[in-house]
Amino acid sequence: MTANIKHLYIHIPFCRSKCPYCDFFSIPNASEDKKSSYIAAVIREFAHLSKLIAAPLETVYLGGGSPILLGQRNLSLILDAISPFTDPNTEKSIELNPEHVEEKMFSFDFNRVSLGVQTVDLNILKKIKRKYDLDKLIQNIKRIKQENISLSLDFMFGLPGQGLKELKRDLDFIDEHRPDHVSFYLFTVPRDYEYVYECAPDELAEKMFHMIHNSMLKLGYGHYEISNYSLKSKECRHNMAYWERKSYLGLGAAAHSFLSDRKQRSWHAKDVEAYIKDPFSYEAQETLDSKMELNEKIMLGLRLLDIGVEETLLDGKDYLQFIKKGLIRANNGQILLTENGIPLLDCITAELLS
């Protein structure tokens, strides 16, 4: 029986070193044998679940980790396995770090690249234990564009030692190189993080958000999701599937899957060895009840700034207080965040969730 799935995520948990702030599941310096065994398990899982796919897939996303570290052979094996389920309109994305863009990447059939830049301030990069050659990054951006590959640049704000002047350098870089898509994530770390006291306090972080928001709009980018901006028609279709609660398959250790028609979510353990041994088992599975489903619709809907949440879903909830404060607004039966409400999303959703 098909679940008509149109979106596929593949988690590649391998990286050269583990960034101290990274919350994604990844392991550094894995052996080539382990990478090959892992990919064999991913392909086994895909073969097992492919009956749920209604080809062609709308999106495929390789995240990590650093998928390019799999090497040419392993990447080819994955792409060959999924190729019968894609067509020229499939959005095929790969996450890359600037230092991992390699010539061989351009021989693969990706049409979207997400580069984890974080910041172009070399002093701040050093503090967060990231390092790349800025000139080479610029060369790679030009090459990606020449190959007609859609480019997304991922930045962080509120970084250790970052003020409005340093943030402006990142915004100027975006203005100069005009990627199709830009993500800006607030830098969050545990309390024992080495540079926690140099991270932006809440008041500065809010000023940074408004600076980003106003600058990106002036540059012609649409703010379509709370952390994401894009030029017209260049939104990340894969991530939109998550926020719109569409069905998707997640392959690999720590990956999640969601079958919207069955209201079922499942996820693999954060354990590469366990996944290689048995890629068909899950750490947990759950079926959403009506309360869980409602809460998800509110939480994810508010993230989508042009779509929002159906006002009827908020019946019985005290949302008028946020309208009076100018944090949300009503528009044609939908409730949407205002610019002032965006930094307070967590507080607003906490009040609105059942």
Side-chain angles (χ1 to χ4, degrees):
M1 185 172 96
T2 180
N4 295 317
I5 290 174
K6 290 283 190 176
H7 306 278
L8 176 67
Y9 174 77
I10 304 173
H11 190 65
I12 310 299
F14 306 118
C15 54
R16 287 190 178 139
S17 61
K18 183 72 174 176
C19 297
Y21 59 84
C22 180
D23 194 37
F24 294 104
F25 173 63
S26 62
I27 57 174
N29 301 316
S31 68
E32 294 306 311
D33 285 345
K34 182 167 287 188
K35 292 175 187 176
S36 295
S37 297
Y38 183 83
I39 293 313
V42 167
I43 293 172
R44 285 168 60 206
E45 185 185 13
F46 180 71
H48 177 68
L49 295 175
S50 60
K51 60 183 180 292
L52 299 175
I53 293 173
L57 287 162
E58 292 181 11
T59 69
V60 175
Y61 197 108
L62 268 68
S66 300
I68 201 72
L69 297 182
L70 285 175
Q72 189 159 4
R73 179 180 178 276
N74 284 323
L75 267 177
S76 295
L77 288 172
I78 290 179
L79 295 176
D80 288 347
I82 66 176
S83 178
F85 297 85
T86 66
D87 72 5
N89 294 318
T90 302
E91 177 189 84
K92 300 171 191 169
S93 303
I94 185 170
E95 287 182 350
L96 295 172
N97 291 327
E99 66 269 29
H100 296 156
V101 179
E102 301 174 13
E103 186 71 23
K104 64 184 179 183
M105 188 209 83
F106 299 104
S107 66
F108 294 112
D109 190 24
F110 293 106
N111 51 32
R112 187 175 183 279
V113 166
S114 180
L115 280 182
V117 175
Q118 318 312 355
T119 179
V120 296
D121 188 296
L122 299 182
N123 291 325
I124 295 175
L125 281 173
K126 186 177 180 180
K127 279 191 174 180
I128 63 173
K129 296 180 170 55
R130 287 292 303 275
K131 183 180 179 181
Y132 60 79
D133 185 310
L134 190 55
D135 290 334
K136 188 174 180 182
L137 169 64
I138 293 170
Q139 292 173 13
N140 286 329
I141 286 173
K142 291 177 179 178
R143 177 68 191 278
I144 289 168
K145 287 186 167 187
Q146 287 170 358
E147 296 287 340
N148 271 333
I149 296 172
S150 185
L151 175 64
S152 177
L153 299 183
D154 292 353
F155 287 85
M156 290 183 175
F157 69 99
L159 291 156
Q162 185 184 47
L164 298 180
K165 181 178 70 174
E166 289 77 16
L167 177 60
K168 187 177 185 303
R169 290 193 194 119
D170 291 340
L171 292 166
D172 288 344
F173 187 87
I174 292 166
D175 185 21
E176 181 178 359
H177 297 287
R178 302 288 296 175
D180 296 316
H181 186 280
V182 179
S183 299
F184 265 103
Y185 299 105
L186 178 62
F187 187 71
T188 55
V189 292
R191 290 182 180 275
D192 61 352
Y193 178 64
E194 182 179 4
Y195 293 107
V196 67
Y197 295 110
E198 293 187 46
C199 296
D202 291 345
E203 185 178 350
L204 176 56
E206 188 167 342
K207 287 181 180 178
M208 287 179 163
F209 161 73
H210 289 295
M211 182 177 180
I212 292 165
H213 179 81
N214 294 328
S215 297
M216 294 300 292
L217 294 186
K218 286 179 182 177
L219 292 176
Y221 289 84
H223 193 186
Y224 73 99
E225 194 273 340
I226 198 161
S227 300
N228 291 276
Y229 300 80
S230 77
L231 298 177
K232 188 176 180 180
S233 301
K234 294 297 183 178
E235 298 87 354
C236 179
R237 288 158 50 198
H238 184 83
N239 285 341
M240 283 296 294
Y242 295 152
W243 299 317
E244 293 181 328
R245 302 184 70 254
K246 294 180 179 179
S247 294
Y248 55 87
L249 285 181
L251 309 180
H256 288 231
S257 296
F258 178 56
L259 304 182
S260 61
D261 56 338
R262 305 178 196 178
K263 301 180 182 180
Q264 291 179 346
R265 180 171 286 108
S266 54
W267 56 93
H268 291 295
K270 297 179 179 180
D271 188 328
V272 168
E273 298 292 350
Y275 179 78
I276 291 171
K277 185 177 180 180
D278 182 6
F280 310 124
S281 66
Y282 296 102
E283 180 180 45
Q285 293 178 296
E286 65 181 7
T287 300
L288 305 184
D289 60 27
S290 58
K291 180 178 177 180
M292 295 166 68
E293 187 176 29
L294 175 61
N295 285 344
E296 276 197 5
K297 287 179 179 178
I298 294 171
M299 180 177 63
L300 295 176
L302 284 175
R303 296 189 68 91
L304 296 172
L305 303 176
D306 296 328
I307 298 174
V309 177
E310 292 180 19
E311 193 166 3
T312 55
L313 294 179
L314 300 178
D315 286 348
K317 299 180 183 295
D318 184 16
Y319 65 93
L320 293 179
Q321 60 170 313
F322 298 118
I323 291 181
K324 292 176 182 176
K325 294 175 182 176
L327 302 179
I328 62 175
R329 61 188 176 89
N331 183 46
N332 294 325
Q334 298 295 114
I335 297 296
L336 304 100
L337 289 174
T338 65
E339 180 183 342
N340 288 332
I342 292 171
L344 299 174
L345 173 65
D346 290 345
C347 298
I348 294 170
T349 53
E351 286 279 332
L352 296 178
L353 297 186
S354 302

